[in-house]
Amino acid sequence: DTGVSQDPRHKITKRGQNVTFRCDPISEHNRLYWYRQTLGQGPEFLTYFQNEAQLEKSRLLSDRFSAERPKGSFSTLEIQRTEQGDSAMYLCASSLDRQQGQMNTEAFFGQGTRLTVV
Amino acid sequence: AQTVTQSQPEMSVQEAETVTLSCTYDTSESDYYLFWYKQPPSRQMILVIRQEAYKQQNATENRFSVNFQKAAKSFSLKISDSQLGDAAMYFCAYINFEGGGGADGLTFGKGTHLIIQP
């Protein structure tokens, strides 16, 4: 396994266009998270999937943001009608469930997709 | 809501010396983990060290160790024998496992930029 993979690495789009990013987590990981990181800040949590179920989405930044994980494997993050303020690094992370006697819960991050809205 | 505070935007240390990065957090929960992540320039976030809140013993990973003061809600990172490859942004992060079982994702501090002087 090569770790968490994100595609594309860079995306430049015009304001008002829709964009979609893909994340392929580590294969045995059932938890998947999306974060946004702006310059000089730590990552900010957006949404969370356990298998195919999106268990937390209230922190998505607006109704222009949506995410899916249709088969519990890869996930997509879509931003509709992009704005210049959406320019940021979008990070995906995956992890295992915390199970009895297994506390290996750290998140493994992808390299991110850097979005620039012009 | 949980918060994580890193009060040192930038730290500088001579190669082979020891440096300590500070982190404080605020939570009312008792079941949580703390992490230090390293983010080199234009590279992905990688885990440095993990501390489970229920463990009294401070975590250690080779040259990296933490000073976990649960009552004071403090979680500092000590890097011994600093190397040029340690230069990066370091983020302190918290995740709560009560209730939602990690569904709120990681809460990050703003980061500390570590410079290693040759």
Side-chain angles (χ1 to χ4, degrees), chain A residues 1 14 22 25 30 43 59 62 78 82 92 101 108 111 114:
Chain A
D1 200 325
K14 291 184 178 180
R22 178 180 170 120
N30 59 341
R59 308 264 286 276
S62 78
E78 181 182 16
T82 52
C92 176
F108 292 80
Q111 292 189 288
R114 182 169 295 284

Side-chain angles (χ1 to χ4, degrees), chain B residues 2 6-8 11 31-32 38 43 49 68 76 90 95 104-106 115:
Chain B
Q2 294 83 16
Q6 293 179 250
S7 58
Q8 305 155 317
M11 291 285 284
D31 185 11
Y32 58 89
K38 170 185 176 182
R43 296 187 64 184
I49 199 164
F68 175 45
S76 61
Y90 284 81
I95 190 166
D104 290 338
L106 289 159
I115 297 168

Side-chain angles (χ1 to χ4, degrees), chain B residues 23-118:
Chain B
C23 172
T24 59
Y25 60 96
D26 187 23
T27 183
S28 58
E29 309 296 344
S30 59
D31 185 11
Y32 58 89
Y33 285 28
L34 295 162
F35 304 88
W36 280 97
Y37 278 89
K38 170 185 176 182
Q39 188 176 40
S42 301
R43 296 187 64 184
Q44 69 199 96
M45 190 98 61
I46 58 174
L47 179 70
V48 175
I49 199 164
R50 173 184 70 231
Q51 176 79 45
E52 295 89 338
Y54 68 87
K55 288 188 176 179
Q56 293 186 346
Q57 187 172 5
N58 289 326
T60 299
E61 288 287 341
N62 301 314
R63 298 183 294 108
F64 299 87
S65 61
V66 298
N67 184 4
F68 175 45
Q69 301 290 325
K70 190 172 183 178
K73 296 180 182 173
S74 170
F75 182 60
S76 61
L77 174 70
K78 186 171 81 171
I79 306 173
S80 304
D81 185 25
S82 298
Q83 300 175 1
L84 294 177
D86 295 334
M89 284 293 291
Y90 284 81
F91 291 97
C92 179
Y94 161 102
I95 190 166
N96 166 33
F97 278 103
E98 295 190 35
D104 290 338
L106 289 159
T107 299
F108 285 87
K110 289 188 175 183
T112 297
H113 181 211
L114 179 63
I115 297 168
I116 310 296
Q117 305 277 8

